[in-house]
């Protein structure tokens, strides 16, 4: 289980096959308030243990972090 406070970015990489991830949210989905950053955004320099083999187009094509846009939600 993973708890992510409202407003915090989150992501995960599974290292085994056949993983299911379920999560709950605190409000109804509002597309105009959604923000995301690409998993390999150089600004964060996260050292992932492996490169993802499967990643959605939505996640793959996220923009680089821009405080004026990402934090204005």
């Amino acid at each position: 289980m993973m708890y992510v406070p409202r407003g915090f970015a989150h992501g995960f990489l599974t290292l085994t096959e056949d993983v299911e991830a379920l999560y709950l949210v605190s409000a109804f989905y509002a597309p105009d308030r959604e923000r995301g950053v690409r998993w390999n955004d150089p600004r964060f320099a996260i050292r992932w243990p492996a490169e993802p083999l499967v990643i959605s187009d939505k996640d793959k094509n996220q923009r680089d972090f821009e405080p004026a846009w990402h934090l204005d939600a």
Side-chain angles (χ1 to χ4, degrees), residues 20-63:
E20 291 185 23
L22 305 171
Y23 59 92
L24 302 173
V25 295
S26 59
F28 288 104
Y29 177 60
D32 60 316
R33 299 194 46 88
E34 182 179 49
R35 300 291 187 267
V37 292
R38 203 177 56 258
W39 70 275
N40 60 350
D41 185 329
R43 183 176 185 124
F44 299 110
I46 296 171
R47 294 174 51 187
W48 295 97
E51 190 163 324
L53 298 177
V54 177
I55 186 170
S56 70
D57 287 338
K58 176 182 170 183
D59 289 338
K60 186 182 342 180
N61 295 313
Q62 290 289 345
R63 63 200 297 174

